[in-house]
Amino acid sequence: MTNPLLADWTGPFSLPPFAQMEDDQFGPAIETGLTVARANIAAIAANPEPPTFANVIEALEEAEALLNRVAGLFYTVSGADSTPAREALMRDLAPKMAAFSSEIIMNEALYQRIAVLWRAREAQGLTPEQDRMLELYHRMFIRAGAALSGAEAARMAEIKSRLAVLYTQFSQNLLADERAWSHPLTEEDLAGLPSSLAAAARAAGEERGEAGPVLTLSRSLVVPFLQFSDNRELRRIAYEAWTARGANGNETDNTELLNEILSLREERAKLLGYESFAAYKLETEMAGSPDNVRGLLMGVWGPAKAAAEADADVLTEMLHKDGTNGPLEPWDWRYYSEKRRVAEFDFDEEALKPYLSLDAMIGAAFDVANRLFGLEFSEIDGPFYHADVRGWEVTRKGQHIAVFLGDYHARGSKRSGAWCTAMRSQKKLGGETRPIVMNVCNFAKGDPTLLSHDDARTLFHEFGHALHQMLSDVTYEFISGTSVARDFVELPSQLYEHWLDVPEVLQKHARHYKTGEAIPQDLQDKLKAAATYDQGFSTVEYLASALVDLDFHEGAAPKDALARQAEVLAEIGMPHAIRMRHAAPHFGHVFSGDGYSAGYYSYMWSEVMDADAFEAFEEAGGPFDPAMAEKLEDWILSKGGSQEAETLYKGFRGRMPGVEALLKGRGLLDKV
């Protein structure tokens, strides 16, 4: 029987054959993809013709097309809808894929053909985009170890293979911990909780086959529980379980994996001639060096800590007035902060939720994209890889732009967090290829699903990434969409968040799910007044994670990562009642792959730009200024990685921004 994953995807919009795919098809399909790719690359390396951009770089762009298609589908569905078979295959594939990557990088004949092109690049008559591609390919090979030989080359291959295994194990351990833990709740435990939260707990119990409601480690369930539950002991149990993921002393404990990952990263950097992994990693980012990153983070740390400590004093007083002696604990912060927000701003977030249904916020994100970029969205039928998934065709002036998939609900088979991915990226080489882009979130399912303001912001954030993919307009997949510097990739997503709170967007789309009534003006006013509330807390918990990540990679790898984490927090004076947003054992951004390693700072680096970029709209005439929207698409959303990130931002804004816009946006400017 023909493997449907290997056949051309000929269904509507050339979507993957979701209805026909089965777990036992993925392994053979990926093996076939590897075989075809190896043959193609061998032919490129052995080509007797003199190297040209077409027979080397463009040929490499096409060489792994089948492998990228089937492996991309596999990793996409495995992250969003894991099964034991998919998890086993991921473990099996990790060293194989790493070995394949090393084969390419260490192919001396292939590297020499690229090197010849690089040395003669000025005589090649390349377009600016082709010149950029050659630069990036040459840099990629050098930074991956192509210039190494002998024992050093062999050791680099070993390191990459082992890291691939460790990353997979780390991710699966984290998912196992999140999936395994639940705590039964009685109806008495639900008393006083918002009705939407109680309903989510009951739904979680049903999903797990329990007789009653349960608390799980889904962020959209545990965080609001910490915010609203009057039961301090239950809050403590939930918080400690949430923060202990990956560090439970059992077979899924990630502690030893951390130490090995950090040691191997340091060794990898030293083999390439860098003094540290951070120096290696940041060389190609906008920040450029660890010193520049530390300067940004510490420049914000002081004002954020001052704000958090002032808030802690107020919350501690509230705790004591409730008859609880002793210090404010981490499981108390969200609870008392919510009470304070209600008292000081007369703003109850639960009063906002009925106006922020999932359908309404999807509609809002689509409408903003229509007003800014002329995009239109028409829902399409599945089947997709899970019944929760929805799909839309994206068009502009009748022309097909992309397919957008949304997988919004939390479930046990999905890893935590929210992300954007492309099952197929935009490119023009070999014919116009339009993307299939997907947003994955973890919102607690309800009837209907009602979002917190933070949930709605997450939806807008991920859709900003999706726009970066959908509006890409380049020739080569290697530089398509979000294939940009790590500290630039968050700019489109964080910038798009700003449109959620534009008054006319709220007025049009934030409508009560039962009555259709528009959000009251007084509720909008309260939302705006409380916009920077508790920013000391959120900034401190984020910065602590970013500073620990930087420290882990800036010098010699620590022998004991958790001990070093504790030392860093002590050195910066971490407030007692706040913990890191992501402690190392569950820091998936940093330890599930190389993506954000030594790079978690990038959210804040991008925030400096997104605050400044939205100011550009306001200065130009408003959030829907057509000229600014056109510049945003022309200089950032359509360009991918075709130019250096700083060049693209300056093309849009005319200059680079300072940190003041970020501090102003977080309400921390007066703390400087």
Side-chain angles (χ1 to χ4, degrees):
M1 181 180 294
T2 302
N3 189 326
L5 301 181
L6 294 172
D8 290 339
W9 296 350
T10 57
F13 310 111
S14 298
L15 285 168
F18 293 118
Q20 288 78 44
M21 72 180 190
E22 297 178 2
D23 282 351
D24 61 3
Q25 298 165 347
F26 283 115
I30 292 173
E31 290 291 351
T32 298
L34 284 166
T35 299
V36 172
R38 282 190 171 100
N40 290 340
I41 290 165
I44 296 168
N47 189 340
E49 297 294 323
T52 65
F53 187 85
N55 70 22
V56 178
I57 304 302
E58 290 188 341
L60 284 172
E61 280 287 283
E62 302 279 53
E64 299 173 42
L66 177 61
L67 176 62
N68 289 341
R69 191 177 72 191
V70 295
L73 173 61
F74 170 70
Y75 286 113
T76 295
V77 299
S78 294
D81 190 27
S82 183
T83 66
R86 291 170 188 173
E87 291 179 13
L89 181 56
M90 286 182 73
R91 292 191 295 270
D92 181 58
L93 285 175
K96 291 182 180 180
M97 299 299 281
F100 171 69
S101 176
S102 292
E103 286 174 27
I104 298 173
I105 292 299
M106 301 304 177
N107 186 317
E108 178 65 18
L110 179 60
Y111 169 62
Q112 287 303 324
R113 289 180 70 79
I114 294 172
V116 168
L117 280 178
W118 176 247
R119 289 192 295 268
R121 61 189 180 280
E122 293 181 359
Q124 296 290 319
L126 302 178
T127 67
E129 190 176 345
Q130 291 172 333
D131 189 67
R132 174 69 169 167
M133 284 284 291
L134 179 56
E135 175 192 9
L136 292 176
Y137 262 89
H138 182 259
R139 186 171 78 183
M140 176 182 70
F141 270 72
I142 292 293
R143 285 172 53 81
L148 300 178
S149 60
E152 290 184 336
R155 179 57 183 157
M156 179 64 79
E158 291 174 359
I159 289 172
K160 290 180 180 178
S161 179
R162 179 60 180 161
L163 282 172
V165 171
L166 293 172
Y167 294 156
T168 301
Q169 188 176 349
F170 185 98
S171 299
Q172 293 190 356
N173 286 349
L174 184 54
L175 178 59
D177 274 7
E178 292 170 348
R179 191 164 46 202
W181 190 90
S182 65
H183 189 84
L185 299 174
T186 66
E187 287 300 318
E188 184 178 85
D189 295 330
L190 299 180
L193 297 182
S195 58
S196 59
L197 180 55
R202 293 188 183 100
E206 291 177 8
E207 183 195 5
R208 289 175 177 253
E210 300 291 342
V214 300
L215 184 61
T216 72
L217 295 183
S218 169
R219 186 178 183 88
S220 61
L221 187 54
V222 70
V223 169
F225 186 85
L226 293 169
Q227 191 175 359
F228 292 106
S229 175
D230 294 328
N231 189 322
R232 191 180 193 225
E233 177 59 15
L234 276 181
R235 295 202 310 269
R236 183 194 65 78
I237 291 170
Y239 187 85
E240 294 291 14
W242 172 246
T243 56
R245 292 168 298 150
N248 285 301
N250 55 13
E251 66 276 6
T252 58
D253 194 285
N254 279 330
T255 304
E256 290 305 316
L257 274 62
L258 298 172
N259 299 329
E260 187 176 358
I261 288 170
L262 292 171
S263 176
L264 290 173
R265 283 176 175 167
E266 180 192 10
E267 185 180 358
R268 176 181 169 191
K270 293 287 179 63
L271 280 172
L272 294 170
Y274 295 88
E275 63 181 20
S276 69
F277 183 80
Y280 159 75
K281 190 70 185 298
L282 295 171
E283 180 185 49
T284 58
E285 306 298 332
M286 292 184 75
S289 73
D291 286 344
N292 289 340
V293 172
R294 187 170 293 279
L296 170 67
L297 298 179
M298 293 309 296
V300 181
W301 175 257
K305 182 184 174 186
E309 289 176 334
D311 290 339
D313 290 341
V314 176
L315 302 184
T316 300
E317 185 177 349
M318 296 172 67
L319 174 76
H320 292 168
K321 283 183 178 179
D322 269 358
T324 300
N325 295 320
L328 184 76
E329 298 291 351
W331 48 88
D332 295 320
W333 191 292
R334 288 179 173 85
Y335 177 73
Y336 284 102
S337 180
E338 177 63 22
K339 285 183 172 295
R340 182 186 176 196
R341 176 164 56 177
V342 172
E344 293 190 4
F345 297 97
D346 190 25
F347 177 63
D348 179 0
E349 186 163 328
E350 281 304 298
L352 183 64
K353 270 191 168 185
Y355 298 93
L356 302 181
S357 70
L358 175 59
D359 282 349
M361 292 302 97
I362 292 171
F366 288 176
D367 186 43
V368 170
N370 175 261
R371 294 185 63 182
L372 289 172
F373 310 115
L375 301 180
E376 298 180 335
F377 300 81
S378 302
E379 192 149 11
I380 59 177
D381 294 328
F384 305 114
Y385 63 85
H386 191 279
D388 285 346
V389 181
R390 299 171 64 184
W392 293 266
E393 182 190 10
V394 186
T395 60
R396 180 157 57 184
K397 296 180 179 179
Q399 180 181 359
H400 176 77
I401 298 295
V403 170
F404 174 68
L405 304 180
D407 184 354
Y408 294 108
H409 294 116
R411 55 179 174 268
S413 62
K414 183 189 291 186
R415 64 180 171 90
S416 62
W419 62 94
C420 175
T421 188
M423 290 189 184
R424 183 174 65 228
S425 296
Q426 179 272 331
K427 67 182 180 73
K428 297 177 182 175
L429 182 66
E432 182 72 38
T433 298
R434 299 310 307 170
I436 300 171
V437 185
M438 186 169 77
N439 279 175
V440 183
C441 299
N442 270 282
F443 304 139
K445 185 181 289 188
D447 186 21
T449 295
L450 303 179
L451 306 183
S452 67
H453 186 257
D454 186 60
D455 287 338
R457 187 164 53 238
T458 296
L459 187 148
F460 267 68
H461 178 102
E462 297 306 332
F463 194 71
H465 282 308
L467 288 172
H468 204 178
Q469 295 277 16
M470 291 189 284
L471 292 175
S472 178
D473 186 23
V474 296
T475 304
Y476 303 102
E477 185 175 354
F478 192 70
I479 53 172
S480 177
T482 56
S483 299
V484 299
R486 181 64 61 178
D487 49 12
F488 190 65
V489 75
E490 298 298 336
L491 169 60
S493 54
Q494 292 179 182
L495 175 59
Y496 205 68
E497 292 178 31
H498 289 268
W499 274 274
L500 169 63
D501 293 326
V502 169
E504 59 190 284
V505 174
L506 286 173
Q507 194 66 25
K508 180 177 181 180
H509 295 282
R511 294 184 170 270
H512 198 284
Y513 75 97
K514 286 184 178 178
T515 67
E517 172 195 6
I519 182 173
Q521 186 60 50
D522 70 321
L523 192 53
Q524 285 193 63
D525 294 341
K526 292 172 185 177
L527 176 64
K528 183 177 180 180
T532 60
Y533 176 69
D534 216 19
Q535 280 297 311
F537 168 84
S538 61
T539 307
V540 161
E541 66 163 7
Y542 163 77
L543 285 171
S545 294
L547 286 164
V548 167
D549 167 42
L550 180 64
D551 185 90
F552 277 168
H553 298 98
E554 192 173 6
K559 301 299 183 185
D560 184 336
L562 294 189
R564 183 54 194 156
Q565 173 180 285
E567 291 170 359
V568 173
L569 297 179
E571 289 166 5
I572 63 177
M574 186 72 171
H576 171 78
I578 306 177
R579 293 186 189 171
M580 298 168 63
R581 182 172 298 175
H582 305 290
H586 57 259
F587 206 166
H589 282 78
V590 171
F591 294 106
S592 289
D594 267 353
Y596 283 89
S597 56
Y600 193 60
Y601 77 92
S602 60
Y603 288 94
M604 184 153 284
W605 191 274
S606 293
E607 188 177 344
V608 172
M609 290 181 286
D610 83 64
D612 179 66
F614 195 70
E615 279 192 355
F617 275 87
E618 294 176 325
E619 292 167 3
F624 293 101
D625 183 82
M628 289 307 302
E630 185 176 359
K631 286 185 71 175
L632 180 62
E633 180 174 353
D634 288 349
W635 278 103
I636 294 176
L637 298 178
S638 68
K639 288 293 193 293
S642 61
Q643 298 180 49
E644 290 288 352
E646 185 170 332
T647 301
L648 296 177
Y649 190 80
K650 286 180 177 177
F652 166 71
R653 190 67 164 114
R655 55 165 174 75
M656 290 300 293
V659 74
E660 292 77 14
L662 177 150
L663 292 171
K664 178 183 175 183
R666 288 186 172 236
L668 300 173
L669 199 56
D670 63 339
K671 303 293 183 181
V672 176

